[in-house]
Amino acid sequence: FNYPNEHPILDGIKKTEPSSGLLISGVEHIHLKGLTIRNNFEIVDNYKYASNFILSSCNNCIVERCTSYNSGRRGFYIHKGDEIYLLNCDSYNNCDSLDTSYQGGGGDGFLVWDDGTADDVGKKVVLRNCRAWNNSDDGFDLEIEGLLVVENSYSFNNGYLDGDGMGFKFGLKDIKTDGVTKVLTNCVSAFNKYNGFTTNDRNAVTNPMHCYN
């Protein structure tokens, strides 16, 4: 946690080697609060790991009141997580401008992803009171097999260079399951390059989702 009335910042502006900002992998019961990570640029062409916050294969973790900006990839990247909660987080100005094949196409504010296997079906990720803006690709790229809940979140002014510019992108599911697996409540998408809200189903059958207000 940040100490009361203090604002810790991890700043990569003087980095000489490419790296992730903060990578947490294979752990449980971690709670981050009040941390900013910034200026974690790619440095070299086509570097895919310059995200600021990465939680990979983690369970029962909370990321709260954290801020990401000026990364060379994703602001927040959740991969294969279960019971992951992102609460009141901001992510902006993330852009992979040194990608020579798809410039800007990996600069998401929030990316939630899994491997599309049966093991991923029962997992849950929640984003609440989060904001994404001025990212080169999507504000929220949310593509998992399990339950995804997004509440009271904003996405605006996303999409430049070759980035898609979706406000909220809900991905195609590889495994057909019963019941609602995507719930979107009280969210706003504005001034994005392409779609405000999309199922991103690519002509496949979209699984049931509930979108309110």
Side-chain angles (χ1 to χ4, degrees):
F1 285 21
N2 63 304
Y3 193 79
N5 300 318
E6 292 190 356
H7 187 189
I9 298 172
L10 298 182
D11 195 325
I13 195 66
K14 295 184 179 181
K15 280 177 32 172
T16 58
E17 297 290 336
S19 70
S20 302
L22 177 65
L23 170 61
I24 300 175
S25 180
V27 300
E28 298 181 346
H29 303 292
I30 296 295
H31 190 170
L32 302 176
K33 187 174 182 179
L35 174 65
T36 290
I37 301 179
R38 68 186 185 191
N39 300 327
N40 180 33
F41 301 111
E42 290 167 287
I43 299 179
V44 298
D45 290 354
N46 302 315
Y47 184 73
K48 304 298 184 183
Y49 307 102
S51 299
N52 281 350
F53 290 83
I54 303 177
L55 273 68
S56 179
S57 299
C58 296
N59 300 325
N60 297 291
C61 294
I62 299 171
V63 181
E64 182 179 3
R65 288 200 299 106
C66 290
T67 300
S68 167
Y69 63 95
N70 292 354
S71 82
R73 196 70 175 172
R74 280 86 191 208
F76 294 85
Y77 181 19
I78 309 301
H79 180 244
K80 290 182 69 68
D82 186 23
E83 294 293 336
I84 304 295
Y85 294 83
L86 278 71
L87 309 177
N88 199 21
C89 293
D90 291 296
S91 188
Y92 58 96
N93 293 355
N94 300 293
C95 175
D96 54 330
S97 59
L98 299 185
D99 191 323
T100 58
S101 62
Y102 187 20
Q103 189 182 35
D108 300 304
F110 296 85
L111 177 67
V112 182
W113 199 266
D114 61 27
D115 291 341
T117 68
D119 291 339
D120 299 317
V121 170
K123 296 180 179 180
K124 177 182 178 182
V125 177
V126 176
L127 295 93
R128 183 177 296 131
N129 302 321
C130 293
R131 294 154 295 274
W133 69 95
N134 202 39
N135 300 290
S136 66
D137 196 30
D138 306 312
F140 294 80
D141 188 342
L142 312 171
E143 308 192 40
I144 60 173
E145 298 293 334
L147 176 62
L148 179 71
V149 178
V150 186
E151 300 174 340
N152 306 321
S153 295
Y154 301 160
S155 183
F156 54 95
N157 289 340
N158 297 292
Y160 51 92
L161 300 177
D162 295 329
D164 292 340
M166 310 287 193
F168 292 86
K169 178 193 287 184
F170 297 94
L172 164 71
K173 286 174 64 69
D174 296 314
I175 300 172
K176 187 66 178 177
T177 55
D178 295 328
V180 173
T181 57
K182 306 288 189 295
V183 181
L184 180 75
T185 306
N186 296 333
C187 293
V188 174
S189 181
F191 304 111
N192 295 294
K193 177 181 175 182
Y194 199 42
N195 291 323
F197 301 88
T198 177
T199 59
N200 195 43
D201 48 44
R202 300 185 290 275
N203 298 318
V205 177
T206 304
N207 272 35
M209 57 180 66
H210 284 172
C211 300
Y212 301 105
N213 300 326

